[in-house]
Amino acid sequence: MAAETDVSKVRATLGQVLVDSINTLSDSKLISLRREVDELRDQASKSRCETEQNKEENTKRIDLLASKLKQIEARLNASYARESRPKPYLPEPPILNKPEYVESWNFQMRGKLTFDGDTLGSPELQFHYVFAHLNPDAQEIVSSYLKLDANNKNWDCERIFDCLRTEYDDDY
């Protein structure tokens, strides 16, 4: 308790010394000090404004860098995905354009599915791959034979081979 009283006395004494010091200053000295205080306030205000502007600029820079980083990541991921996919072993089979070529086409297509099935993808993608390698007439035959429509869920390529075997039985 005595220490608090001593601190209070010291504060009061310092306050009085400050008031006495201010009273003894000349008017020109007070004006000079006020100018310095005003200048310091202006500088502090400018610093705050500059700090806010810097924050905004830095935020914009960070957002831009984050956007560029996402683009680079996407490119790297796409590149990695391309590189990580298995490479095909066999060349592209030809389009089946004449019934007399169905036997050699069948052999090439089955080889492609056997060795490059993983590269081609899911059974659905493989089915569409085989279908895309038929000429328009053969596609029409397969479509009507298999009753292909949007509800088709049987993606077995053997269905296409069976259809061609049935259609071109004499030539097989």
Side-chain angles (χ1 to χ4, degrees):
M1 193 73 159
E4 288 178 19
T5 308
D6 289 341
V7 169
S8 296
K9 286 180 184 177
V10 169
R11 282 187 183 156
T13 304
L14 285 174
Q16 188 58 44
V17 168
L18 185 59
V19 169
D20 291 344
S21 297
I22 291 173
N23 288 336
T24 60
L25 290 175
S26 67
D27 287 341
S28 62
K29 187 67 173 168
L30 281 175
I31 291 171
S32 173
L33 287 174
R34 283 189 184 141
R35 282 185 189 146
E36 284 183 47
V37 168
D38 288 342
E39 286 176 16
L40 289 173
R41 283 187 182 141
D42 287 345
Q43 288 176 1
S45 177
K46 286 178 184 177
S47 292
R48 281 189 209 107
C49 289
E50 288 173 359
T51 302
E52 287 300 316
Q53 287 174 347
N54 288 341
K55 281 183 187 177
E56 290 175 12
E57 289 174 9
N58 287 338
T59 300
K60 288 177 185 176
R61 285 183 188 140
I62 289 170
D63 290 345
L64 180 63
L65 288 173
S67 173
K68 287 182 179 181
L69 179 62
K70 285 180 184 178
Q71 291 172 353
I72 291 169
E73 269 183 336
R75 283 190 217 140
L76 284 173
N77 289 339
S79 174
Y80 177 74
R82 279 193 303 272
E83 291 172 6
S84 66
R85 282 184 22 205
K87 303 280 188 222
Y89 293 105
L90 298 177
E92 284 288 309
I95 302 292
L96 175 61
N97 54 12
K98 292 185 180 179
E100 56 265 22
Y101 299 139
V102 73
E103 193 171 338
S104 64
W105 177 87
N106 188 357
F107 182 76
Q108 290 178 21
M109 188 56 73
R110 285 180 184 277
K112 185 71 171 174
L113 293 174
T114 300
F115 292 104
D116 294 338
D118 290 342
T119 304
L120 297 173
S122 69
E124 182 178 357
L125 289 171
Q126 291 178 20
F127 185 91
H128 287 286
Y129 179 84
V130 172
F131 187 81
H133 281 77
L134 300 173
N135 70 17
D137 293 337
Q139 286 180 350
E140 195 61 39
I141 291 167
V142 169
S143 294
S144 62
Y145 182 80
L146 299 179
K147 297 178 179 62
L148 296 179
D149 60 25
N151 297 323
N152 181 35
K153 299 297 180 209
N154 185 355
W155 302 113
D156 185 4
C157 293
E158 283 301 317
R159 295 172 62 214
I160 295 176
F161 297 130
D162 291 344
C163 172
L164 294 172
R165 187 177 305 113
T166 301
E167 184 64 29
Y168 302 125
D169 194 25
D170 296 336
D171 300 324
Y172 232 151

